[in-house]
């Protein structure tokens, strides 16, 4: 039997070697795959775990979880090997073989990385796809759950809702976002004003470090545990799962979604929104979204219609919300409601792993800001005018209010620093629907012009750097060297935007847990030399 297994392993290795032979980097990749096959053991398992470009299943595995088609073009450098482990020991082998053969690793959970750091590299690399690590175990009695990093948020919401409709994991707004990426950068959502970030609720984790050790909170230590909750977790190890606290939530909500045009005082309403949205009772969150020609205000409230209308009359009467604008929903309906879909689709709607609107905006460039002082009306008008240069559906911007619970959590509690004093988060998206390089560059240039325009009204000083959200990865802020040593000073150029004063502590943790910088990419935390 052992001889038969060895023959199958050899045949599998030969097939992979042939498929890689045309590659200029075939030798280290071949050695890497040979190392894998020698250490993984069972040949059947190998064929289900390792995928190379000539494997018929390779395109499906690569593309099925890519949420930004900007990274599906022929020019995009793709992984020379994809590994989809179904056991943690396979990850340990992959780390050991990659270190031995000098191959870079990229780690993917949901595939939403704005600038492709989770699945693209200019140097030879392999992709570790965590989709099989998606188990979710809910303990209603203790109000906790263990969540695999390969699960998407929709799967988490569905599983928690089925266990108890009055428990909730405070995650993000998009059901197709992977839990690994979300928690790695903090994880805000429609109820962050009430409960804080997703990473604020992590109480334990299982991680594989650069030496292949499997660690939990106790064995990794508090500094390591601190870093992986909002500090760019892929800089420090391969996170396998998180244990999280669940929160009590009202099963019933009230929501509204109203649009206003320029003739309906949209600019004045956006200006007023900045003063009231972050200061409203924390049971109410109103986001402001605008695109070409209109602004939209979307609210989710833990309470009934009567109370919501009373609060709107008190805080924001100018918006003119009526009872007819409001709809009572379950908390799990929020995710279909925001997409304008039938509520009859929930809760099963949230189980989809691919963005339902991917075909409408398949290629995009995104950027972010954290705003502390209101943008004046003249600034909003400048932004509005920039949107008028784009066709409908090509661009969007969303403002998400903070305040409430976010003001109460210390800046140093986790690496995410944008707490008290931050009024709202801005994310802007420029999208295009073809692989035309000219169209892509035009959209990216427009995104940069929008960023410069917003920057006129946001402070950016050494003591108070302009904020950005690490989960909306933005290489325009700066990157590490492709090869060789990246100084902490160089990395701080981009790191200060994401982490502010917490950046230096992250560097100390990196130096402690991964001094050889095995886990590295364009915006990974560097160690001290």
């Amino acid at each position: 039997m052992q001889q038969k297994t060895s023959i199958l392993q050899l045949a599998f290795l030969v097939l992979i070697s042939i498929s890689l032979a045309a590659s200029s980097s075939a030798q280290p990749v071949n050695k890497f795959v040979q190392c894998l096959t020698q250490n993984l053991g069972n040949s059947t398992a190998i064929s289900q775990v390792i995928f190379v470009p000539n494997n018929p299943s390779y395109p499906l595995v690569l593309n099925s979880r890519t949420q930004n088609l900007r990274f599906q073009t022929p020019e995009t450098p793709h992984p020379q090997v994809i590994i989809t482990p179904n056991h943690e020991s396979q990850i340990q082998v992959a780390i050991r073989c990659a270190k031995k053969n000098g191959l870079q690793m990229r780690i993917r959970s949901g595939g939403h990385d704005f600038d492709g750091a989770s699945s693209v590299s200019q140097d030879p690399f392999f992709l570790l796809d965590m989709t099989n690590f998606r188990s979710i175990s809910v303990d209603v009695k203790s109000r906790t759950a263990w969540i695999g990093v390969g699960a998407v948020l929709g799967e988490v919401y569905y599983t928690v809702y089925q266990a108890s409709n009055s428990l909730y994991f405070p995650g993000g707004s998009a059901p197709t976002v992977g839990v690994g990426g979300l928690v790695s950068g903090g994880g805000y959502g429609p109820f962050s004003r009430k409960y804080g970030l997703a990473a604020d609720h992590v109480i334990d984790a299982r991680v594989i470090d650069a030496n292949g050790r499997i660690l939990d909170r106790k064995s990794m230590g508090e500094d390591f545990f601190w870093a992986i909750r909002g500090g760019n977790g892929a800089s420090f190890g391969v996170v396998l799962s998180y244990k999280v606290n669940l929160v009590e939530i009202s099963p019933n909500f009230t929501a509204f979604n109203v649009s206003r045009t320029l003739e309906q005082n949209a600019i004045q309403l956006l200006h007023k929104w900045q003063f009231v949205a972050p200061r409203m009772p924390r049971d109410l969150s109103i986001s402001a979204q605008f695109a070409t020609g209109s602004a939209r205000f979307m609210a989710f409230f833990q309470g009934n219609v009567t109370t919501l209308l009373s609060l709107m009359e008190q805080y924001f009467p100018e918006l003119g919300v009526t009872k007819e604008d409001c709809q009572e929903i379950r908390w799990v309906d929020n995710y279909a409601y925001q997409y304008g879909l039938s509520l009859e689709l929930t809760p099963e709607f949230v189980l989809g792993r691919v963005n339902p609107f991917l075909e409408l905006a398949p290629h995009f460039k995104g950027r972010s800001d954290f705003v502390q002082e209101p943008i004046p009306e003249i600034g909003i008008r400048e932004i509005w005018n920039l949107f008028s240069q784009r066709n409908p559906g090509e661009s969007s911007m969303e403002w998400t209010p903070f305040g409430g619970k976010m003001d109460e959590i210390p800046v140093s509690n986790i690496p995410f620093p944008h707490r008290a004093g931050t009024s709202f988060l801005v994310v802007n998206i420029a999208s295009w629907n073809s692989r035309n390089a000219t169209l892509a560059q035009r959209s990216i240039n427009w995104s940069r012009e929008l960023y410069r325009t917003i920057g006129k009204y946001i402070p950016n000083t050494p003591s108070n750097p302009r904020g950005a959200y690490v989960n909306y990865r933005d290489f325009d802020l700066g990157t590490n060297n492709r090869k060789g040593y990246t100084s902490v000073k160089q990395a701080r150029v981009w790191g200060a935007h994401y982490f502010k004063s917490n950046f230096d502590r992250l560097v100390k943790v990196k130096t402690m847990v991964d001094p050889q910088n095995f886990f590295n990419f364009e915006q990974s935390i560097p160690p001290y030399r």
Side-chain angles (χ1 to χ4, degrees), residues 34 57 67 74 79 90 110 125 153 166 202 230 248 360 363 391 395 406 420 434 448 452 469 479 488 510 516:
Q34 184 176 17
S57 299
Q67 306 289 338
Q90 296 166 342
F125 74 105
L153 281 174
S166 62
V202 175
E248 293 280 354
L360 300 180
H363 311 76
N391 294 322
S395 307
M406 294 293 287
S434 78
R448 291 169 177 164
R452 285 191 291 269
Y469 183 38
T479 59
V488 172
K510 174 72 172 184
Q516 301 303 316

Side-chain angles (χ1 to χ4, degrees), residues 288-363:
Q289 305 161 15
F290 58 104
T292 304
S294 67
R296 183 171 65 151
F297 299 86
M298 182 176 291
F300 295 103
F301 174 61
Q302 292 196 54
N304 58 37
V305 174
T306 301
T307 307
L308 174 58
L309 291 175
S310 176
L311 290 173
M312 293 304 298
E313 183 61 30
Q314 177 183 350
Y315 286 93
F316 202 2
E318 297 88 347
L319 190 56
V321 175
T322 66
K323 185 176 181 179
E324 289 69 30
D325 294 320
C326 301
Q327 184 172 358
E328 292 186 350
I329 63 174
R330 301 167 297 177
W331 72 256
V332 76
D333 294 328
N334 155 57
Y335 306 98
Y337 183 86
Q338 68 177 337
Y339 287 114
L341 301 175
S342 170
L343 301 189
E344 294 178 0
L345 295 174
T346 55
E348 287 74 14
F349 159 75
V350 297
L351 290 174
R353 292 180 67 86
V354 178
N355 187 333
F357 293 99
L358 194 60
E359 294 182 359
L360 300 180
H363 311 76

Side-chain angles (χ1 to χ4, degrees), residues 436-454:
N436 183 287
T438 301
L439 182 61
Q441 192 58 54
R442 186 184 305 142
S443 295
I444 292 172
N445 290 342
W446 180 88
S447 174
R448 291 169 177 164
E449 178 62 27
L450 177 61
Y451 186 78
R452 285 191 291 269
T453 299
I454 298 173

Side-chain angles (χ1 to χ4, degrees), residues 88-144:
E88 54 203 24
S89 63
Q90 296 166 342
I91 302 175
Q92 293 172 303
V93 169
I95 291 174
R96 187 161 62 246
C97 292
K99 292 174 71 173
K100 182 178 179 179
N101 294 284
L103 211 61
Q104 285 195 4
M105 172 194 287
R106 292 291 186 268
I107 307 170
R108 180 173 72 176
S109 59
H112 280 263
D113 195 297
F114 274 21
D115 270 352
S118 66
S119 58
V120 176
S121 174
Q122 299 300 319
D123 298 308
F125 74 105
F126 77 96
L127 174 63
L128 187 70
D129 190 309
M130 298 297 289
T131 188
N132 293 327
F133 283 75
R134 56 200 287 189
S135 64
I136 305 166
S137 175
V138 178
D139 186 332
V140 174
K141 185 176 181 180
S142 65
R143 295 191 301 179
T144 61

Side-chain angles (χ1 to χ4, degrees), residues 186-500:
Y188 78 96
F191 310 127
S192 293
R193 302 189 66 251
K194 174 77 171 182
Y195 302 110
L197 304 175
D200 293 326
H201 295 270
V202 175
I203 57 175
D204 203 347
R206 299 184 76 251
V207 181
I208 300 180
D209 71 1
N211 294 316
R213 298 176 300 174
I214 299 176
L215 308 172
D216 61 8
R217 179 175 183 172
K218 183 178 180 180
S219 56
M220 78 177 76
E222 289 302 303
D223 285 333
F224 197 164
F225 183 64
W226 175 83
I228 62 173
R229 294 173 297 148
N232 210 353
S235 294
F236 305 95
V238 179
V239 182
L240 303 171
S241 58
Y242 296 104
K243 185 179 184 181
V244 302
N245 276 325
L246 304 176
V247 299
E248 293 280 354
I249 193 169
S250 169
N252 299 313
F253 274 70
T254 303
F256 67 73
N257 181 359
V258 297
S259 295
R260 299 291 185 262
T261 63
L262 197 63
E263 293 73 25
Q264 295 171 311
N265 298 322
I267 289 176
Q268 291 75 17
L269 291 171
L270 288 166
H271 185 249
K272 176 66 180 291
W273 176 95
Q274 299 175 91
F275 292 89
V276 297
R279 295 172 177 81
M280 286 181 166
R282 61 190 63 189
D283 282 335
L284 174 58
S285 181
I286 305 177
S287 64
Q289 305 161 15
F290 58 104
T292 304
S294 67
R296 183 171 65 151
F297 299 86
M298 182 176 291
F300 295 103
F301 174 61
Q302 292 196 54
N304 58 37
V305 174
T306 301
T307 307
L308 174 58
L309 291 175
S310 176
L311 290 173
M312 293 304 298
E313 183 61 30
Q314 177 183 350
Y315 286 93
F316 202 2
E318 297 88 347
L319 190 56
V321 175
T322 66
K323 185 176 181 179
E324 289 69 30
D325 294 320
C326 301
Q327 184 172 358
E328 292 186 350
I329 63 174
R330 301 167 297 177
W331 72 256
V332 76
D333 294 328
N334 155 57
Y335 306 98
Y337 183 86
Q338 68 177 337
Y339 287 114
L341 301 175
S342 170
L343 301 189
E344 294 178 0
L345 295 174
T346 55
E348 287 74 14
F349 159 75
V350 297
L351 290 174
R353 292 180 67 86
V354 178
N355 187 333
F357 293 99
L358 194 60
E359 294 182 359
L360 300 180
H363 311 76
F364 66 86
K365 166 68 177 178
R367 309 200 70 175
S368 63
D369 274 296
F370 288 95
V371 180
Q372 297 170 326
E373 298 295 332
I375 299 172
E377 283 192 26
I378 187 174
I380 298 173
R381 193 172 295 279
E382 282 188 76
I383 295 170
W384 190 280
N385 289 339
L386 277 175
F387 272 91
S388 68
Q389 300 173 10
R390 304 282 287 174
N391 294 322
E394 286 185 342
S395 307
S396 64
M397 175 181 286
E398 181 168 8
W399 295 356
T400 300
F402 277 17
K405 182 69 173 179
M406 294 293 287
D407 282 345
E408 300 171 1
I409 301 174
V411 167
S412 60
N413 194 60
I414 63 173
F416 182 96
H418 312 284
R419 302 287 191 171
T422 297
S423 292
F424 59 98
L425 166 65
V426 174
V427 56
N428 61 76
I429 301 291
S431 60
W432 56 100
N433 59 8
S434 78
R435 290 180 175 178
N436 183 287
T438 301
L439 182 61
Q441 192 58 54
R442 186 184 305 142
S443 295
I444 292 172
N445 290 342
W446 180 88
S447 174
R448 291 169 177 164
E449 178 62 27
L450 177 61
Y451 186 78
R452 285 191 291 269
T453 299
I454 298 173
K456 297 177 184 179
Y457 307 99
I458 296 178
N460 185 22
T461 65
S463 60
N464 185 26
R466 184 177 179 180
Y469 183 38
V470 69
N471 274 358
Y472 295 150
R473 185 104 46 207
D474 184 0
F475 289 168
D476 284 8
L477 299 176
T479 59
N480 298 336
N481 297 326
R482 271 187 56 190
K483 296 182 179 180
Y485 176 72
T486 295
S487 70
V488 172
K489 180 180 180 181
Q490 178 182 336
R492 188 179 285 110
V493 172
W494 56 261
H497 293 285
Y498 295 139
F499 305 114
K500 297 200 173 185

